[in-house]
């Protein structure tokens, strides 16, 4: 359905959109509270996905149990992490938040090994986890000492958000993967329920004043419509065309985009340990997927020849 260059273009667009999500959150916080940023992201994302589902004429699930599972995923994949990242970026840079987001594949692998009997941590996986954990310690800068100030708490909130992502992916695989739902419908279900939850919380979230400047409004539209809506469709097309193991490589690019936008546009500071820690985290992901071994390189060369 999609040409070779069409899928590549979607891959680049996905890396740019997901990498810039943390930039858009930071801009949104100049006029909104963290809860309001999460509210806008989910509501606009749900509306975008609703249009996509209607355009494709996809039927919604009828079983109540499926909607129950979607509600759990909506909380774990949308409501909690969106709130945590938005709150965290009040205290840390958008670039640093994007770096922490790169830990998602490693935490997913760890949670899968604990929760799913079929998933076991291999030697490559263990190496990846060690590298990733070392990367987190470098990012935090443990040699400076540990004090529970707002900076460290915000970084822990980011790790809490990526842990929620990991839990949601494992829950999806265990309870929804075999339900036969197509990805746009699945995405609309979880984002839609998340939006309903945030709408129900509107009286609480609306207590803070709103300063809706054009940068804030456009950032929330981009964050919701693109980052939480259309991006799901792009990701599905990439997985279908290239396979999941190749599609996940977008994770390597998103922190680069996030850091560059934060430094170049928002003039955010960047200490040496943050990119070094990010490199270790990405190396951990590569190792966990068996892409750092000499044997895997030999297979890659043989396949290309």
């Amino acid at each position: 359905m999609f040409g070779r260059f069409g899928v590549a273009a979607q891959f680049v667009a996905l890396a740019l959109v997901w990498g810039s999500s943390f930039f858009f959150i930071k801009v949104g916080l100049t006029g909104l509270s963290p809860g309001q940023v999460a509210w806008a992201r989910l509501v606009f994302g749900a509306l975008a996905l609703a249009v996509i589902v209607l355009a494709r004429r996809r039927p919604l699930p009828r079983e109540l149990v499926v909607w129950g599972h979607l509600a759990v995923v909506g909380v774990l994949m949308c409501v909690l992490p969106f709130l945590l990242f938005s709150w965290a970026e009040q205290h840390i840079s958008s670039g640093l938040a994007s770096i922490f987001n790169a830990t998602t594949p490693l935490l997913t692998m760890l949670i899968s090994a604990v929760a799913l009997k079929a998933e076991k941590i291999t030697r490559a996986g263990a190496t990846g986890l060690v590298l990733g954990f070392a990367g987190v310690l470098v990012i935090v800068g443990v040699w400076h000492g540990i004090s529970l100030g707002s900076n460290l708490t915000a970084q822990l909130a980011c790790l809490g958000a990526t842990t929620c992502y990991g839990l949601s992916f494992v829950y999806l695989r265990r309870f929804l993967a075999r339900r036969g739902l197509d990805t746009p419908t699945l995405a609309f279900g979880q984002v839609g329920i998340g939006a309903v939850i945030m709408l129900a919380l509107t009286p609480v979230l609306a207590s803070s004043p709103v300063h809706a400047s054009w940068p804030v409004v456009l950032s929330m539209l981009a964050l919701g419509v693109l980052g939480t809506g259309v991006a799901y469709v792009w990701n599905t097309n990439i997985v279908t065309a290239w396979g999941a193991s190749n599609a996940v490589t977008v994770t390597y690019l998103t922190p680069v985009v996030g850091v560059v936008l934060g430094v170049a546009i928002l003039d955010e500071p960047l200490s040496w340990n943050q990119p070094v820690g990010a490199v270790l985290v990405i190396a951990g992901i590569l190792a966990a997927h068996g892409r750092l071994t000499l044997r895997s390189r030999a297979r890659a060369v043989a396949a290309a020849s």
Side-chain angles (χ1 to χ4, degrees):
M1 180 178 178
F2 296 95
R4 181 178 180 182
F5 294 105
V7 176
Q10 290 178 79
F11 180 85
V12 173
L14 186 64
L16 291 173
V17 167
W18 276 353
S20 61
S21 294
F22 304 93
F23 167 80
F24 292 136
I25 291 172
K26 199 73 169 181
V27 174
L29 289 171
T30 62
L32 305 172
S33 69
Q36 290 164 348
V37 169
W39 185 99
R41 181 176 188 177
L42 280 167
V43 171
F44 291 145
L47 290 174
L49 287 168
V51 171
I52 293 171
V53 170
L54 287 172
R56 295 189 173 193
R57 298 182 179 180
R58 302 293 189 184
L60 295 177
R62 297 181 179 180
E63 300 89 347
L64 187 60
V65 65
V66 173
W67 284 104
H69 290 316
L70 286 172
V72 174
V73 175
V75 171
L76 288 175
M77 186 174 282
C78 301
V79 176
L80 289 178
F82 291 178
L83 284 170
L84 286 169
F85 270 124
S86 297
W87 179 86
E89 285 198 42
Q90 295 178 115
H91 307 286
I92 62 174
S93 68
S94 63
L96 183 54
S98 70
I99 291 173
F100 274 110
N101 186 65
T103 63
T104 299
L106 295 175
L107 287 169
T108 302
M109 182 181 67
L110 180 61
I111 295 169
S112 297
V114 174
L116 302 175
K117 294 181 179 179
E119 297 287 340
K120 295 182 180 180
I121 296 180
T122 62
R123 182 180 298 178
T127 302
L129 287 172
V130 171
L131 282 172
F133 181 68
V136 170
L137 293 179
V138 171
I139 294 168
V140 173
V142 291
W143 54 88
H144 295 307
I146 301 296
S147 60
L148 290 177
S150 59
N151 188 283
L152 178 60
T153 306
Q155 294 182 61
L156 292 175
C158 291
L159 289 174
T162 55
T163 300
C164 287
Y165 286 147
L167 289 169
S168 67
F169 291 140
V170 172
Y171 192 94
L172 268 171
R173 180 172 179 180
R174 184 166 185 175
F175 295 106
L176 288 171
R178 299 179 182 178
R179 295 282 181 174
L181 300 175
D182 66 296
T183 301
T185 303
L186 187 64
F188 171 70
Q190 63 200 38
V191 175
I193 289 177
V196 170
I197 292 173
M198 297 307 286
L199 286 169
L201 294 175
T202 298
V204 177
L205 300 177
S207 60
S208 300
V210 174
H211 303 286
S213 63
W214 277 113
V216 170
V217 172
L218 293 176
S219 292
M220 292 303 94
L221 285 172
L223 184 63
V225 174
L226 295 178
T228 315
V230 179
Y232 278 94
V233 180
W234 291 340
N235 188 55
T236 303
N237 294 337
I238 296 165
V239 171
T240 301
W242 290 356
S245 61
N246 289 320
V248 78
T249 57
V250 73
T251 309
Y252 314 151
L253 301 178
T254 51
V256 176
V257 175
V259 169
V260 169
L261 287 175
V263 172
I265 300 179
L266 300 177
D267 197 27
E268 293 179 341
L270 183 68
S271 57
W272 68 267
N273 57 298
Q274 293 174 6
V276 170
V279 169
L280 285 173
V281 169
I282 292 172
I285 300 171
L286 288 168
H289 284 84
R291 299 190 179 190
L292 285 185
T293 63
L294 292 175
R295 186 179 299 176
S296 65
R297 292 176 187 171
R299 284 199 299 265
V301 171
S305 62

